[in-house]
Amino acid sequence: MNESARATLDLATGFGQVLAAWVRKVYRSETNEIEAIASFLASVGEQLSLATSEGHSCLPLRALKITPAGESIAGIRAKLLASTLVGTPLQTPAKPLILDEGNRLFLYRHFEQERRLARRLVGRSKSKPPQILNSPQLRDWLDANFGPASPTGSGAVPDWQRIAVAQALLNPMTFISGGPGTGKTRTAARLIECVLRLRPDTRIALAAPTGKAAARLREALSPDSKKFDAFTLHRLLNIHPTTGRARYHASNPLPFDLVVVDEASMLDLTLALQLIDALPSDTQCVLLGDKDQLPPVEIGSVFATLSAGRRFSPQGLDRLVQVTGYTAESIEGAITPTPHDSALTDHVIWLEKNYRFSDRSSIGKLSEAIKRGEITTAVDLMRNPQSEGLRWFEDSHPRIETPTLRAAELGYAPYRTTLERVSRHSIRHLISDQSLLEELFTTFDQFRVLAAIRQTGRGVVELNAQLRRLIDPGTRQWYPGRAILITRNDPALNLFNGDVGICLPDPANDRERPQVWFRGQAQDDSSQFRAIECDRLPPHEDALAMTVHKAQGSEFESVLIVLPHEIGRTANRTLLYTAITRARSQVMVSGSQSVFEAACSQADVRPSGLSDRIRELIDACPSSSSD
């Protein structure tokens, strides 16, 4: 067990002990009955703490691992509520732990965050449609940019990008979910172009959880639309790096008419609440993401929860029919039934047609098989030498073996070649001719090694130690070509979590300290790249190998996925899907078949009460907003 896991377990044990001590203090007794309650609370508290460390906002009672023999859920619920530390949502004063009607146990803080977010979302969903609904130009614009609709009969297949643009224009808040290659960014670009055509003075903000994702969103826009800056969400909300408090909130809202957020599947509960809280009531918000990707590292999986299903009200469907030209039958007929319904009617769109991978694409087939948990299909595709773009390395050793290392060496070969050429030039030359830097960064982003874990011989720390020898066999910390990943926001330097930099010395002056180059992000950058001295950098790590979590929001031509040595909870279906869909043309997997199969079979679904909180508010006040 590594130090991080040990610290997590110690914290969970300590939390359980605190709850037990609290029970003894409240009852001021040491009877067998009180000791039984204290011991039970200690066990439950430890499990709840471990669940939150894994990003869960709550712990379903059915998931409790240590309970009295034969105890029913009703019996466990009664015992928790009798402990004086656990209360129900409506109970006052509030208790440290909350047990809702769905038998989910929360820390009070996380329950209150979900309840506040639900109030904000329901309030926005019930606000008046934007005035753009009355514009006769909207239908004409959609026809001009997507082609005329085919409204006849239920057999017509609607263009969901067209529907997504219309839905986003008709509603104050829209969630658009789709996998890589389904056109989310293109849809956002079309939306912004339409808004500017119909409302030229619209104030627009583009944002994403990472700087790279925000920059990619802005790059997809037309030249006229690139006048808008792209922010990280922390920069947009002006979140203090130490306190975590946002400058923009309900009492000081954001000064924008439209906020478009890409990679919204990375939004944790706290950040999602801060974003929605900072939106003025008349500001439209569009969140784009992939509900099937990895959930955030922190608490919650807001986007996946809210996008789990899609449905339209009769009124919402009628508005879409009027604007898009499709019939209600064709729209409803194109919706695949799902076991989950969205708690927010008329606000969720799925983009399912993939423009990157054809029906014959092995990568596309593999990602779909893994998403559905089809283990045999996934293994057959991965192990079949005829699967174009897929390659399997049977490597079950605690550390990667020579074939895997050789694949990484070949993957980074173009980067090494470009680096050798760029390194011959002086810094002054690179500043004047930034095409060399563009080529270097572009070549580096062609390939990446992705791992499921950080520690052990197959984690990113050890992988980076081995891979650095491919670039520089020496012992220098800041060697030419060292690639780093920023891990903490530094607004003063305009560097944010997820930004990638490359170290380059000045061959014309050995006495000059190496600098790390980064792509510019702000719209008013005078140059596309900028250099920062190494000793001024915020916390960072090597980036030749990255965790799959860190790779979210990025795309590479080819990826090498290194699976853990043993079966565990870290490598699961969602992680595999996310890793595979980072690649455009080639996926290589290094690991044992047993670990691969176990990962395909293991879903990563975070329990949440957010949908129930939304439904409770809608049922309590069906015709008015709640805040």
Side-chain angles (χ1 to χ4, degrees):
M1 182 181 296
N2 59 48
E3 291 184 10
S4 177
R6 171 57 63 185
T8 299
L9 183 57
D10 289 345
L11 179 63
T13 302
F15 180 69
Q17 291 173 348
V18 168
L19 293 182
W22 204 340
V23 168
R24 297 186 187 101
K25 183 177 180 180
V26 169
Y27 284 99
R28 298 183 180 180
S29 174
E30 295 185 5
T31 64
N32 290 338
E33 182 181 358
I34 300 306
E35 280 304 309
I37 294 176
S39 177
F40 177 60
L41 258 292
S43 172
V44 171
E46 181 176 336
Q47 292 179 67
L48 178 58
S49 179
L50 290 174
T52 59
S53 71
E54 294 177 358
H56 299 189
S57 62
C58 59
L59 176 65
L61 297 190
R62 67 178 184 277
L64 285 173
K65 297 178 180 177
I66 304 174
T67 58
E71 188 84 76
S72 66
I73 295 296
I76 295 171
R77 180 182 180 89
K79 187 173 292 186
L80 287 170
L81 292 175
S83 69
T84 75
L85 298 184
V86 181
T88 59
L90 299 178
Q91 191 172 345
T92 55
K95 299 296 181 70
L97 305 180
I98 301 296
L99 184 59
D100 73 358
E101 292 302 314
N103 288 321
R104 307 178 192 91
L105 186 65
F106 296 78
L107 294 174
Y108 173 78
R109 175 193 176 193
H110 297 148
F111 177 83
E112 185 59 23
Q113 284 183 319
E114 282 197 356
R115 182 159 59 180
R116 285 181 57 202
L117 179 58
R119 288 171 178 164
R120 293 295 185 190
L121 291 171
V122 171
R124 294 191 63 78
S125 71
K126 292 180 176 293
S127 59
K128 294 180 180 179
Q131 289 300 313
I132 200 168
L133 173 63
N134 300 320
S135 173
Q137 296 174 292
L138 177 53
R139 173 70 180 275
D140 293 338
W141 189 94
L142 291 173
D143 285 345
N145 285 270
F146 290 96
S150 301
T152 58
S154 60
V157 179
D159 182 341
W160 283 99
Q161 289 189 21
R162 177 191 183 101
I163 294 176
V165 170
Q167 188 78 333
L169 292 169
L170 297 175
N171 287 291
M173 177 178 58
T174 305
F175 298 83
I176 302 175
S177 176
T182 55
K184 296 189 300 294
T185 306
R186 179 175 180 268
T187 300
R190 290 288 185 86
L191 167 66
I192 291 170
E193 290 169 10
C194 182
V195 168
L196 292 178
R197 175 69 180 272
L198 301 179
R199 296 184 303 195
D201 58 344
T202 301
R203 299 169 299 171
I204 299 175
L206 313 174
T210 67
K212 188 169 186 177
R216 196 177 70 244
L217 175 60
R218 183 170 174 266
E219 289 168 4
L221 301 181
S222 66
D224 291 341
S225 303
K226 287 187 177 181
K227 61 184 178 180
F228 302 107
D229 204 349
F231 305 87
T232 64
L233 280 169
H234 280 75
R235 180 173 162 230
L236 174 70
L237 300 172
N238 203 343
I239 296 175
H240 194 280
T242 303
T243 65
R245 294 177 180 173
R247 176 187 173 190
Y248 293 101
H249 43 74
S251 300
N252 182 37
L254 289 165
F256 299 105
D257 304 307
L258 171 64
V259 175
V260 179
V261 180
D262 200 5
E263 298 296 341
S265 51
M266 299 168 67
L267 285 175
D268 59 74
L269 181 57
T270 298
L271 189 55
L273 177 57
Q274 288 177 307
L275 170 65
I276 302 300
D277 198 43
L279 295 174
S281 59
D282 57 349
T283 292
Q284 290 174 266
C285 181
V286 178
L287 296 100
L288 306 112
D290 185 350
K291 62 182 178 56
D292 298 306
Q293 274 193 31
L294 276 170
V297 176
E298 303 298 333
I299 298 292
S301 53
V302 174
F303 187 86
T305 298
L306 296 175
S307 304
R310 51 179 173 168
R311 60 192 173 105
F312 298 101
S313 67
Q315 298 84 0
L317 196 59
D318 184 59
R319 288 197 300 267
L320 283 178
V321 167
Q322 293 179 35
V323 173
T324 65
Y326 295 122
T327 64
E329 293 80 9
S330 66
I331 295 175
E332 289 186 310
I335 298 176
T336 306
T338 60
H340 304 286
D341 245 350
S342 174
L344 293 172
T345 306
D346 297 328
H347 294 278
V348 179
I349 298 291
W350 290 1
L351 302 179
E352 297 179 290
K353 182 178 180 180
N354 200 300
Y355 298 90
R356 179 185 303 171
F357 303 124
S358 68
D359 294 339
R360 294 177 294 177
S361 166
S362 296
I363 296 178
K365 291 179 181 178
L366 178 64
S367 64
E368 287 299 315
I370 288 174
K371 189 165 65 174
R372 293 191 293 263
E374 298 173 354
I375 303 173
T376 302
T377 302
V379 171
D380 289 346
L381 282 167
M382 201 67 245
R383 301 294 302 254
N384 186 351
Q386 303 303 315
S387 295
E388 185 178 355
L390 301 180
R391 189 175 180 188
W392 173 264
F393 294 96
E394 181 65 34
D395 187 347
S396 59
H397 297 84
R399 301 179 78 224
I400 60 170
E401 293 291 291
T402 300
T404 301
L405 190 60
R406 176 61 178 163
E409 183 178 5
L410 291 174
Y412 279 122
Y415 173 62
R416 292 167 59 193
T417 301
T418 305
L419 177 65
E420 289 175 3
R421 187 168 68 256
V422 172
S423 296
R424 299 190 194 107
H425 295 278
S426 67
I427 296 298
R428 180 177 297 178
H429 181 83
L430 294 178
I431 293 174
S432 62
D433 182 8
Q434 296 206 350
S435 63
L436 291 168
L437 291 170
E438 177 61 42
E439 182 181 358
L440 182 65
F441 274 76
T442 299
T443 307
F444 179 66
D445 280 340
Q446 293 297 301
F447 174 76
R448 196 71 87 248
V449 176
L450 305 179
I453 53 180
R454 293 191 56 80
Q455 303 300 327
T456 80
R458 301 178 70 86
V460 293
V461 175
E462 178 63 25
L463 287 172
N464 274 307
Q466 295 187 62
L467 295 176
R468 73 149 286 170
R469 301 188 188 103
L470 303 178
I471 310 299
D472 182 83
T475 59
R476 293 173 293 178
Q477 179 184 11
W478 293 105
Y479 56 89
R482 181 188 178 190
I484 65 165
L485 184 76
I486 299 300
T487 59
R488 186 182 300 170
N489 297 331
D490 189 333
L493 291 176
N494 196 27
L495 290 177
F496 300 91
N497 183 24
D499 289 350
V500 172
I502 297 177
C503 176
L504 290 173
D506 191 340
N509 190 344
D510 293 337
R511 290 175 294 181
E512 287 289 335
R513 301 189 65 178
Q515 295 178 315
V516 177
W517 289 81
F518 295 88
R519 286 185 182 274
Q521 291 179 5
Q523 63 177 16
D524 57 353
D525 279 347
S526 57
S527 59
Q528 188 175 357
F529 295 89
R530 59 199 178 96
I532 295 178
E533 295 176 3
C534 300
D535 55 4
R536 297 182 60 206
L537 293 171
H540 53 271
E541 61 189 31
D542 289 312
L544 294 173
M546 305 166 63
T547 62
V548 179
H549 268 103
K550 293 287 188 182
Q552 282 185 274
S554 299
E555 294 178 359
F556 312 101
E557 199 65 34
S558 174
V559 298
L560 170 59
I561 304 167
V562 178
L563 298 177
H565 169 54
E566 298 176 325
I567 295 173
R569 300 172 66 180
T570 305
N572 54 50
R573 188 185 307 166
T574 311
L575 181 134
L576 272 185
Y577 168 80
T578 305
I580 287 166
T581 53
R582 297 309 91 205
R584 289 185 287 264
S585 63
Q586 184 180 44
V587 171
M588 297 176 282
V589 179
S590 169
S592 68
Q593 182 170 323
S594 60
V595 172
F596 183 79
E597 290 177 345
C600 290
S601 66
Q602 185 169 287
D604 181 19
V605 179
R606 290 187 177 178
S608 167
L610 181 58
S611 292
D612 282 358
R613 303 292 84 79
I614 292 173
R615 292 189 179 99
E616 289 164 1
L617 290 167
I618 293 175
D619 291 344
C621 194
S623 61
S624 62
S625 63
S626 175
D627 187 61

